[in-house]
């Protein structure tokens, strides 16, 4: 497997196989770990960071599965954007690049981010609501690594991390969830508020500033210290099930009170996606949100959720440019995006 | 033929058979005539108007062709709206209804409006740019009637009419023309101005006030006194050919400068018409304008101009209610309109 091959595959977490897949796009578990004999990345010298990268790389080689490890410095700007779009890293990761690196397993359900805030960030990403599965995947990798590389661990605090909010289990878990029912009915604000009160953070996933594009939200746990890993994962799982129930009820109400308006919106969105010759990322995300709702409500029977999931990833700017094989200005991308979407739908 | 049968037929002037049918929807010639021995309708008494109505009715019976004559008083409000939508009469005709009536030939290419401003308004309506054909049709009917009913005619002024602007030939001729190219390129204002300077009036056909819906315009002659009928008809014909040329050039330029934007707009409009569950008259007119342009430019190959013409007539409020067989509120009409359009496209 080479880096350039990544564009040819759909990540396994887009396969729409998990529980409540029409509402919950994906589940994520991330473990923050640091190596016992080294300073935290922000304090470490360049040579130390390189040593850590190489240690992790060698360690990964002894772990099963087809995979790829590469330093951030080896990547072109487009490839870095591609990794952001692929949900591996955030743009913050681009800063102070020395010694940073990424390890990716072929199915893309597992990745290791090297020398970001912590020496290791073990990430598992799975389809639908499947936090336990993601947790198991991350745990297994964590165990495999811990056998070769001793972690910074305190019997009092647990895993030691660069930022104290991660100390303890070092676990952060989240879901990417589609909540058009709660948005359209105006109930989303209250739901976000309540979740905040019980220790969960909710933020719009697409869109800038106050705007939430496509009604996608990320719900994650806020605290980790003093709780068991299973407790945290199970807590989010139960909370998400409740949010899914709220969302389902909101959709039923919408359908009851404004069926024809809803159907109109959904059928128009689908028709435009199948016909437009120009599509911005923003418009695509919003139209595909309506189509996704239509699939969830059983109104659009011919559209597969998997295709919608894949389109959300592959219509992003860097993905489109990698598919096409050359850099493109936004106007050209809008044309290419439209033709790509037409072809896939 | 009965009045209720009219809803089952498409008027022959929607068949898109005439010259430049993708730009010129229809051609119209109207002759204003008054009977020699009677006062103009505005001055005549009720009994006189009824006598005129009966004279015309009897006269029509002796003229070939399947047809229908009825007094305005016999019509329900919905039927009157239907006749307006069918381009037979204007809403002004509803006022002071005594003695007023309408005669309609089966193909709807010929009609006589009785006791409006003049005793007789002979109207011929044909598809595409076909003013000579419309003129011939109107002329033949005019001759047939004049053999039975002596007209008010002055050897000095010509045909005498209630309003002096019609005196002379009594002829008014017009076309209904689709000018999206001139509208989008911003050249329409100048074209309207120029046409005004050479004696033609241009007004938006759909839409209220300043808004012109669907880029449809009506171009008509303004003067009739002192000119021969053929001259007037030929004058408009030549002018329309020129406007068609301007429009064609404007379309070519649009296609050259903004091909992808234009294609995007056209494909989206077509997709929405084929998919929407709610469609207002205004939105239908505007979307169908884009689709019509797409047909004219050869972008949409599967859509027939005849279907688009028929839809413009049959999606109007009174038509929809007559098709459905019961009165409908606007919201219900929007649903019915959308399903009707989906079915026809």
């Amino acid at each position: 497997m080479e880096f350039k091959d990544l564009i040819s595959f759909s990540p396994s977490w887009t396969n729409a196989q998990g529980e409540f897949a029409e509402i919950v796009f994906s589940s994520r578990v991330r473990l923050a770990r640091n190596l016992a004999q080294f300073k935290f990345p922000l304090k470490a010298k360049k040579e130390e960071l390189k040593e850590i990268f190489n240690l992790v790389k060698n360690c990964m080689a002894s772990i099963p599965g087809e995979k790829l490890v590469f330093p951030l410095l080896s990547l072109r700007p487009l490839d870095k954007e591609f990794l952001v779009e692929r949900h591996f890293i955030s743009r913050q990761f681009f800063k102070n690049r020395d010694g940073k690196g990424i390890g990716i397993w072929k199915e893309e359900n597992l990745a290791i981010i090297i020398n970001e805030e912590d020496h290791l960030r073990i990430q598992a990403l799975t389809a639908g609501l499947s936090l336990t599965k993601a947790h198991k995947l991350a745990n297994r990798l964590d165990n495999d690594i811990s056998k070769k590389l001793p972690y910074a661990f305190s019997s009092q605090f647990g895993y030691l991390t660069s930022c104290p909010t991660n100390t303890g289990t070092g676990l952060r878990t989240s879901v990417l969830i589609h909540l058009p029912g709660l948005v359209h009915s105006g109930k989303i604000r209250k739901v976000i508020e309540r979740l905040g009160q019980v220790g969960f953070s909710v933020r719009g996933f697409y869109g800038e500033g106050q705007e939430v594009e496509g009604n996608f939200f990320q719900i994650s746990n806020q605290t980790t210290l003093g709780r068991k890993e299973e407790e945290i994962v199970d807590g989010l799982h139960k909370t998400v099930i409740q949010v899914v129930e709220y969302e389902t009820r909101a959709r039923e109400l919408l359908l009851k009170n404004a069926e024809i308006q809803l159907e109109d919106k959904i059928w128009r969105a689908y028709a435009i996606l199948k016909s437009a010759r120009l599509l911005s990322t923003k418009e695509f995300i919003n139209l595909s949100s309506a189509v996704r709702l239509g699939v969830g409500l059983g109104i659009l029977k011919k559209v597969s959720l998997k295709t919608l999931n894949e389109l959300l990833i592959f219509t992003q700017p860097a993905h489109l440019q990698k598919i096409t094989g050359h850099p493109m200005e936004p106007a050209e991308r809008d044309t290419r995006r439209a033709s790509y979407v037409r072809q896939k739908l």
Side-chain angles (χ1 to χ4, degrees), chain A:
Chain A
M1 186 167 97
E2 291 182 61
F3 189 87
K4 67 175 175 50
D5 298 330
L6 286 173
I7 190 67
S8 329
F9 298 106
S10 295
S12 60
W13 46 270
T14 62
N15 70 13
Q17 293 292 312
E19 213 180 350
F20 305 120
E22 74 283 7
I23 294 176
V24 185
F25 188 110
S26 57
S27 298
R28 177 191 291 262
V29 167
R30 185 220 66 191
L31 300 170
R33 299 291 183 253
N34 286 280
L35 304 190
Q37 64 275 51
F38 294 95
K39 286 182 182 143
F40 288 144
L42 287 169
K43 301 271 179 181
K45 292 207 176 97
K46 213 186 261 195
E47 290 68 33
E48 244 180 318
L49 293 170
K50 280 187 185 160
E51 197 186 336
I52 294 165
F53 176 82
N54 285 326
L55 279 171
V56 176
K57 190 177 171 179
N58 291 337
C59 173
M60 277 181 69
S62 69
I63 295 169
E66 199 174 339
K67 57 193 137 6
L68 201 64
V69 199
F70 46 87
L72 183 61
L73 275 168
S74 69
L75 297 179
R76 295 172 306 161
L78 187 66
D79 291 331
K80 288 192 281 188
E81 278 299 323
F82 168 78
L83 290 176
V84 171
E85 291 177 0
R86 205 80 162 198
H87 300 193
F88 284 121
I89 51 172
S90 71
R91 266 188 204 92
Q92 277 75 35
F93 189 57
F94 297 169
K95 293 177 201 156
N96 309 312
R97 302 172 302 167
D98 283 317
K100 286 186 176 179
I102 304 162
I104 297 173
W105 269 256
K106 194 183 172 186
E107 293 76 22
E108 299 181 36
N109 50 5
L110 273 175
I112 302 179
I113 310 304
I114 307 164
N115 290 328
E116 194 183 16
E117 205 177 276
D118 297 298
H119 296 146
L120 297 177
R121 292 256 166 123
I122 295 167
Q123 293 181 174
L125 196 50
T126 49
L129 178 57
S130 51
L131 288 165
T132 313
K133 184 179 169 189
H135 184 216
K136 269 187 194 156
L137 279 169
N139 244 349
R140 199 193 308 154
L141 181 54
D142 185 35
N143 286 337
D144 287 348
I145 296 171
S146 70
K147 283 174 199 158
K148 321 254 168 173
L149 301 172
Y151 285 154
F153 184 83
S154 141
S155 56
Q156 191 185 351
F157 298 116
Y159 294 102
L160 301 177
T161 54
S162 171
C163 176
T165 59
N166 288 315
T167 299
T169 59
L171 183 143
R172 180 143 293 178
T173 178
S174 65
V175 294
L176 181 57
I177 189 165
H178 186 229
L179 303 174
L182 292 172
V183 170
H184 289 311
S185 63
K187 289 172 189 151
I188 189 71
R189 201 174 286 272
K190 198 146 197 181
V191 170
I192 292 177
E193 216 176 277
R194 285 255 195 94
L195 288 172
Q197 288 162 357
V198 294
F200 296 97
S201 137
V202 185
R203 59 178 187 81
F205 194 76
Y206 293 105
E208 286 159 33
Q210 292 293 64
E211 270 183 301
V212 173
E213 306 297 351
N215 308 309
F216 280 105
F217 295 85
Q218 189 170 50
I219 307 180
S220 58
N221 69 309
Q222 283 182 304
T223 52
T224 159
L225 192 66
R227 300 174 68 199
K228 280 189 197 165
E229 288 191 12
E230 286 74 14
E231 246 176 74
I232 298 169
V233 170
D234 195 51
L236 182 62
H237 179 84
K238 281 179 179 151
T239 300
V240 172
I241 286 182
Q242 222 165 16
V243 175
V244 166
E245 263 171 42
Y246 293 153
E247 170 65 19
T248 306
R249 244 178 282 158
R251 290 181 182 192
E252 283 164 5
L253 259 176
L254 268 183
L255 206 54
K256 197 177 146 194
N257 297 332
E259 185 175 6
I260 193 82
Q261 285 78 4
L262 198 61
E263 287 189 351
D264 184 57
K265 192 183 162 157
I266 288 165
W267 280 105
R268 282 174 186 240
Y270 181 48
I272 293 173
L273 287 184
K274 277 178 61 174
S275 299
R277 264 55 187 169
L278 284 172
L279 268 182
S280 68
T281 308
K282 182 174 163 174
E283 191 184 13
F284 171 75
I285 291 173
N286 286 320
L287 292 173
S288 88
S289 168
V291 170
R292 187 177 199 88
L293 177 59
V295 173
L297 291 172
I299 292 169
L300 296 176
K301 292 185 172 51
K302 283 189 202 164
V303 189
S304 101
L305 217 51
K306 183 171 184 285
T307 304
L308 285 180
N309 286 353
E310 289 171 349
L311 281 174
L312 259 181
I313 304 301
F314 283 85
T315 57
Q316 296 174 104
H319 271 75
L320 273 185
Q321 292 177 77
K322 283 184 76 80
I323 293 166
T324 310
H326 62 79
M328 295 188 287
E329 293 297 309
E332 193 185 348
R333 290 205 298 266
D334 288 354
T335 309
R336 184 70 182 92
R337 182 176 297 110
S339 77
Y340 186 78
V341 171
R342 285 204 311 281
Q343 178 204 328
K344 294 290 174 182
L345 286 181

